[in-house]
């Protein structure tokens, strides 16, 4: 696969009839979802609804049982697809920061650049320092993860993804492991990315972020998308009883 097969007129993410089983447990039951370039799609729902499985399927961390996923027009469920090349266009930020504890912040940000992007040490460090600046962490380039707060570690994890020049970012509950007073600093970085036009798919329980930053809000339950629409509208006036029940518990 060469990059000229990427169709930038195609949706960033196009999910068609996505099914995922773990043995007899059907976690995703025929999901259809399209995310366009520049959109911020927030996914909410109760624990076990399939949100994280859906997100992880977008870069094939979970292999679908059925259906298709197209990234910028390329079907990544096709066995012939050069999945690593497509995956390099997708940044992913997890609940747990997944930083290498034995490496400095700078080391964490340069290793994939050098191995995947084949950048020189000097170039990789230049990009790393620029991205640390973007997330307000330039002063911690030489620190080790154990010396950082959870919020700082998550900002470093976001910077690490940005070093790869992704076309889109996936966030899987990026603030759920943080102490409440540290949540705001991570959400502010995500808000800035959204303002800059980054395509984002965010599994979150931060309803304020979804309302203010999201272009679209999706409510999942039982492996289905039960409701979707403008975040303010869905949060203020949910249509589905399951959405109403969920929001009455979390708001």
């Amino acid at each position: 696969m060469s990059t000229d097969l990427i169709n930038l007129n195609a949706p960033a993410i196009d999910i068609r009839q996505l099914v995922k089983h773990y043995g007899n447990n059907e976690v995703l039951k025929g999901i259809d979802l399209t995310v366009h370039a520049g959109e911020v799609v927030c996914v909410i729902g109760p624990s076990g609804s399939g949100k994280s499985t859906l997100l992880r399927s977008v870069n094939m961390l979970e292999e679908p049982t059925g259906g298709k996923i197209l990234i910028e027009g390329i079907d990544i469920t096709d066995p012939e697809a050069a999945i690593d090349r497509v995956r390099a266009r997708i940044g992913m930020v997890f609940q747990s920061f997944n930083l290498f504890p034995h490496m400095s912040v700078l080391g964490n940000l340069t290793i994939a650049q050098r191995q995947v992007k084949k950048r020189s040490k000097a170039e990789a460090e230049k990009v790393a320092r620029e991205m640390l600046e973007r997330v307000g962490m330039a002063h911690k380039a030489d620190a080790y993860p154990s010396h950082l707060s959870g919020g700082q570690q998550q900002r470093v994890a976001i910077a690490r993804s940005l070093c790869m020049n992704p076309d889109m970012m996936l966030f899987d509950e990026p603030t759920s492991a943080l102490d409440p007073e540290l949540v705001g600093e991570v959400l502010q970085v995500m808000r800035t990315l959204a303002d800059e036009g980054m395509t984002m798919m965010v599994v979150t329980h931060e309803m304020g972020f979804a309302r203010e930053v999201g272009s679209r809000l999706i409510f999942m339950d039982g492996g289905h998308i039960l409701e979707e629409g403008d975040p303010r509208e869905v949060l203020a006036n949910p249509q589905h009883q399951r959405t109403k029940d969920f929001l009455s518990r979390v708001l």
Side-chain angles (χ1 to χ4, degrees):
M1 186 196 82
S2 64
T3 50
D4 55 13
L5 294 178
I6 285 166
N7 178 2
L8 293 176
N9 295 320
I13 303 167
D14 191 5
I15 298 168
R16 302 176 185 174
Q17 284 297 297
L18 185 66
V19 175
K20 176 63 179 178
H21 298 168
Y22 297 103
N24 294 327
N25 182 17
E26 191 176 24
V27 181
L28 299 176
K29 303 174 181 176
I31 298 285
D32 288 306
L33 176 64
T34 303
V35 179
H36 295 284
E39 268 197 299
V40 178
V41 174
C42 294
V43 185
I44 64 170
S47 182
S49 58
K51 311 182 297 291
S52 289
T53 303
L54 174 63
L55 194 76
R56 291 167 65 86
S57 298
V58 172
N59 66 355
M60 297 292 280
L61 288 177
E62 298 284 354
E63 198 159 323
T65 309
K68 287 187 171 185
I69 302 170
L70 287 85
I71 301 294
E72 295 173 334
I74 294 168
D75 180 3
I76 60 170
T77 54
D78 179 348
E80 302 293 308
I83 183 66
D84 287 339
R85 287 205 207 166
V86 179
R87 206 180 257 149
R89 308 175 77 83
I90 305 171
M92 179 111 191
V93 177
F94 301 89
Q95 292 179 28
S96 53
F97 324 117
N98 291 9
L99 299 175
F100 294 117
H102 62 288
M103 288 184 181
S104 69
V105 165
L106 201 61
N108 269 281
L109 267 66
T110 54
I111 184 168
Q113 292 189 67
R114 298 188 66 189
Q115 290 180 351
V116 179
K117 293 277 189 186
K118 306 300 182 196
R119 289 175 181 154
S120 68
K121 183 172 186 282
E123 186 186 4
E125 288 191 359
K126 178 174 180 288
V127 172
R129 290 183 190 280
E130 286 168 2
M131 295 308 150
L132 288 171
E133 187 75 43
R134 276 180 80 177
V135 302
M137 290 296 294
H139 62 299
K140 294 290 188 181
D142 298 322
Y144 282 79
S146 60
H147 296 150
L148 304 178
S149 71
Q152 290 174 328
Q153 290 188 59
Q154 194 60 293
R155 283 150 64 196
V156 168
I158 293 171
R160 178 178 57 185
S161 284
L162 294 174
C163 284
M164 305 301 283
N165 307 111
D167 292 349
M168 62 199 78
M169 293 278 286
L170 309 178
F171 293 88
D172 188 6
E173 304 246 20
T175 59
S176 66
L178 299 179
D179 292 333
E181 71 271 17
L182 302 176
V183 168
E185 64 190 59
V186 174
L187 294 181
Q188 185 53 51
V189 169
M190 294 168 64
R191 186 174 307 218
T192 302
L193 287 176
D195 289 344
E196 292 169 356
M198 176 65 77
T199 308
M200 291 160 59
M201 195 168 160
V202 185
V203 171
T204 187
H205 57 272
E206 299 291 341
M207 299 301 155
F209 176 86
R211 182 190 292 112
E212 294 159 31
V213 182
S215 338
R216 200 158 23 121
L217 184 63
I218 285 168
F219 173 71
M220 284 185 72
D221 195 19
H224 295 283
I225 292 175
L226 294 188
E227 192 161 346
E228 69 175 290
D230 178 272
R232 288 181 177 82
E233 181 63 27
V234 173
L235 291 171
N237 188 25
Q239 300 300 302
H240 199 286
Q241 188 59 46
R242 297 298 287 272
T243 319
K244 292 176 185 174
D245 294 344
F246 174 77
L247 291 176
S248 72
R249 290 199 304 275
V250 300
L251 287 178

